């Protein structure tokens, strides 16, 4: 449908470009050097660190986040999680609207060989409690004061929850709630941790495997309690490769993130593709 709006000569040129580049792009996703999302992130960091990975709009201006930025944000958050006691197999809840921090949190958990659990920002207290209890999550990364307030209201029902990390500081900067900490503080702790543990992040990424569980993707719970689908890197990667083969994204394309990041389709496109 997109190509129907193009002039004939541009359509021909675009199709030719697709044939020329699509195989290369799919090969990059399928590369043996990157069987997992953290490994692919490092591959992009190693091969094209200055290229755009994401853009975010702030006060009307689009700001570019390069693959180097993306990688280092994930690295320092992952190491910061280790200082909080994050262990292999731990579940990390992530709740909020589309934002780079959502991706950072997910990849950080996975780089530590943990499991990301996406949550819709409109979830009720009952639904948050259900998912947090069902997954046994010890950590949560949340967007703002609205999401923090939800968790604080149900914290007595979540005895396993040890830390809530927020990425928007408005209304939270001066909090003295022991469960809470800001994402910048966690990343700073990660930066300091790396000094005494050089290479630990890279070793952890290298040890991730294609068939291990990387995420639990819940339904929206419109008909009953949300149901969680357990995904491996292999399953989500297969979905992303299928979308790439159908959509034929080009390096020059810009993809708008408008679906909830907790939804599997946005996972496949915004993370995978």
């Amino acid at each position: 449908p997109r190509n129907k709006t193009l002039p004939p000569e541009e359509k021909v040129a675009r199709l030719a470009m697709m044939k020329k580049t699509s195989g290369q792009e799919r090969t990059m996703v399928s590369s043996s050097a990157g069987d997992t999302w953290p490994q692919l992130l490092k591959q992009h960091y190693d091969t094209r660190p200055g290229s755009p990975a994401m853009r975010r709009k702030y006060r009307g201006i689009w700001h570019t986040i390069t693959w180097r930025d993306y990688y280092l944000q994930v690295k320092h958050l992952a190491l910061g999680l280790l200082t909080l006691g994050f262990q292999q197999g731990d579940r990390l809840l992530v709740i909020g609207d589309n934002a780079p921090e959502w991706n950072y949190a997910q990849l950080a958990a996975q780089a530590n060989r943990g499991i990301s659990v996406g949550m819709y920002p409109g979830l009720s207290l009952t639904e948050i409690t259900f998912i947090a209890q069902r997954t046994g999550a010890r950590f949560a990364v949340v967007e703002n004061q609205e999401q923090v307030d939800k968790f604080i209201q149900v914290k007595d029902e979540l005895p396993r929850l040890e830390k809530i990390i927020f990425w928007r500081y408005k209304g939270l900067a001066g909090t003295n709630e022991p469960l809470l900490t800001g994402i910048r503080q966690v990343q700073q702790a990660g930066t300091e941790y790396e000094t005494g543990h050089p290479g630990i992040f890279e070793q952890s990424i290298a040890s991730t495997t294609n068939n291990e569980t990387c995420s639990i993707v819940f339904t929206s719970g419109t008909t009953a309690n949300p149901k969680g689908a357990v995904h491996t890197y292999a399953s989500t990667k297969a979905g992303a490769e299928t979308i790439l083969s159908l959509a034929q994204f080009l390096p020059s394309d810009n993809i708008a993130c408008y679906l909830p990041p907790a939804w599997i389709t946005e996972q496949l496109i915004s993370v995978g593709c």
Side-chain angles (χ1 to χ4, degrees), residues 209-262:
T209 60
N210 199 31
N211 292 316
E212 67 184 64
T213 300
C214 64
S215 60
I216 302 175
V217 181
F218 276 86
T219 62
S220 56
T222 53
T223 57
N225 284 328
K227 301 172 183 64
V230 178
H231 280 278
T232 64
Y233 292 108
S235 65
T236 50
K237 192 174 165 194
E241 288 177 332
T242 299
I243 292 174
L244 283 177
S245 68
L246 296 172
Q248 300 286 0
F249 293 142
L250 299 179
S252 58
D253 285 339
N254 291 295
I255 309 302
C257 303
Y258 71 98
L259 300 168

Side-chain angles (χ1 to χ4, degrees), residues 23 41 60 81 103 124 130 152 181 184 198 209 216 225 228 233 256 270:
L41 175 63
L81 286 170
N103 295 54
S124 66
F130 176 83
I152 294 302
T181 187
R184 293 196 292 270
T209 60
I216 302 175
N225 284 328
Y233 292 108
S270 292

Side-chain angles (χ1 to χ4, degrees), residues 29 36 56 68 76 138 205 227 244 250:
V29 174
T36 68
R56 77 185 311 165
R68 180 181 185 276
H76 295 148
R138 297 172 57 217
I205 284 181
K227 301 172 183 64
L244 283 177
L250 299 179

Side-chain angles (χ1 to χ4, degrees), residues 104-168:
Y104 302 157
Q106 172 167 323
L107 269 293
Q110 294 172 351
N112 286 339
R113 303 195 70 179
I115 300 168
S116 65
V117 182
M119 303 174 73
Y120 296 89
L123 289 182
S124 66
L125 298 179
T126 301
E127 292 167 326
I128 286 176
T129 303
F130 176 83
I131 293 176
Q133 289 178 340
R134 196 67 179 263
T135 58
R138 297 172 57 217
F139 303 93
V141 175
V142 309
E143 180 177 6
N144 52 21
Q145 186 176 17
E146 176 187 356
Q147 305 302 339
V148 165
D149 287 345
K150 293 179 185 178
F151 277 89
I152 294 302
Q153 290 182 66
V154 298
K155 67 178 182 179
D156 291 340
E157 300 177 57
L158 306 175
R160 287 181 56 86
L161 189 65
E162 297 179 18
K163 191 62 69 176
I164 302 168
I165 303 165
F166 54 85
W167 75 73
R168 294 196 189 279

